[in-house]
Amino acid sequence: RAIEGFGGGFRARFTAATRGSGLGTSGAVVGVEIIDPGSGYFKPPHIVISEGGRGCEGPLFEAVLGTRRYHPMDAYPGVGLEFEVIVADNPFDRIRHFSIEGDLPHLMLSATFAPPVESTSPKGLVSRTFRWDPPRNIAGSRPLALCFSAEDNSGEVLPSGTQLAGKSDAACLMVTVVRCAYAVRGGETLLHVAAYYGTNWIQIWAANVLLQDPEGSDIAEGQLVNVGHTYTLERGDELLGLARKFGMSEEGIHELNYDVAQTPP
């Protein structure tokens, strides 16, 4: 049972004196062994983030809430970014709040984080899925900070019925939309990718020397294809000259380089 507002309490094994044991009055508790400490002042929520990207392989990693480390994660136009966030606590506590911390970066406002946390969620375990389809024109932007926070119900309950905050903290990601790359959706060919970027399939095929079929029938869902050439700027380079060099328009370069598009001429 709950002990003085410590959330869901704890489990313990009690040792009682018996007649003739010499430990004390028969029936008196003479020893306590804590089997599970329950809420207490420790065992904060634990977050596990599984990154997959709807077809893109990615790492499975864990981050204990409270480290405030920013874990890097790549995102691509196309299949988008999708990963599951699981918050686990000890079995006595229920996760009260589990959400994106603060405001979403303005470039991520179309993202979703579902389903909402319900009062009927299993104690100690909540899973939510983050989904975001990066638009093609933000590749090359600065990494986007994305933080999640969770709080359990271990806070003290006041006589008025108000429950104080429980144990909580947050873990963060730094999401980078990769430049000049596209993760193919199911059923797409190079024709679809070329149309998406306003070019022709020959240009896309030329940037992907490992593709055997010029129509791209050998590409699979989640496969990464190059949609442009990476280039390191040299002193004296001008946007118009680069556009001519790579057979593109200035607008086309802006589409693939958000940082360039946001730089004053």
Side-chain angles (χ1 to χ4, degrees):
R1 66 183 180 83
I3 304 297
E4 297 180 358
F6 278 75
F10 60 89
R11 286 192 301 166
R13 179 180 292 112
F14 295 87
T15 303
T18 57
R19 180 176 298 179
S21 65
L23 297 177
T25 304
S26 179
V29 175
V30 294
V32 180
E33 177 188 359
I34 303 298
I35 300 173
D36 191 314
S39 301
Y41 289 113
F42 42 100
K43 282 197 172 180
H46 184 77
I47 189 169
V48 178
I49 303 176
S50 175
E51 187 254 328
R54 278 180 279 174
C56 295
E57 294 183 0
L60 174 69
F61 61 87
E62 298 185 1
V64 177
L65 294 182
T67 61
R68 304 298 302 183
R69 293 179 59 192
Y70 283 78
H71 301 273
M73 184 178 288
D74 291 338
Y76 304 88
V79 296
L81 183 66
E82 178 177 319
F83 55 86
E84 184 179 15
V85 185
I86 304 170
V87 171
D89 207 344
N90 68 71
F92 294 104
D93 294 332
R94 189 181 301 280
I95 304 299
R96 295 180 60 206
H97 302 291
F98 174 28
S99 61
I100 295 172
E101 185 180 53
D103 296 328
L104 274 171
H106 74 279
L107 295 178
M108 274 188 172
L109 293 180
S110 61
T112 61
F113 192 44
V117 176
E118 304 286 353
S119 60
T120 55
S121 298
K123 283 189 175 182
L125 184 66
V126 174
S127 172
R128 302 186 71 182
T129 299
F130 180 88
R131 294 185 177 91
W132 179 49
D133 292 319
R136 66 185 183 188
N137 63 341
I138 69 168
S141 65
R142 290 184 177 183
L144 306 173
L146 177 63
C147 296
F148 302 93
S149 62
E151 177 189 324
D152 62 23
N153 67 341
S154 62
E156 180 181 358
V157 179
L158 302 178
S160 63
T162 301
Q163 183 170 22
L164 301 182
K167 298 185 299 296
S168 65
D169 222 315
C172 300
L173 308 171
M174 291 297 283
V175 180
T176 299
V177 182
V178 179
R179 199 188 307 266
C180 295
Y182 179 86
V184 179
R185 296 185 177 101
E188 286 186 328
T189 66
L190 293 189
L191 292 173
H192 297 95
V193 178
Y196 183 67
Y197 283 95
T199 185
N200 59 70
W201 66 266
I202 296 178
Q203 292 276 9
I204 302 295
W205 185 46
N208 294 272
V209 296
L210 297 180
L211 291 180
Q212 300 294 321
D213 184 353
E215 294 188 0
S217 62
D218 55 344
I219 58 178
E221 180 179 5
Q223 183 173 335
L224 297 180
V225 297
N226 298 320
V227 295
H229 301 276
T230 56
Y231 176 81
T232 302
L233 289 175
E234 299 178 356
R235 184 179 296 275
D237 280 340
E238 294 182 352
L239 189 61
L240 180 58
L242 292 175
R244 290 172 177 170
K245 180 176 182 178
F246 291 105
M248 302 176 66
S249 65
E250 293 183 56
E251 292 76 13
I253 293 180
H254 285 164
E255 283 281 317
L256 296 175
N257 300 274
Y258 180 85
D259 49 352
V260 175
Q262 298 299 308
T263 302

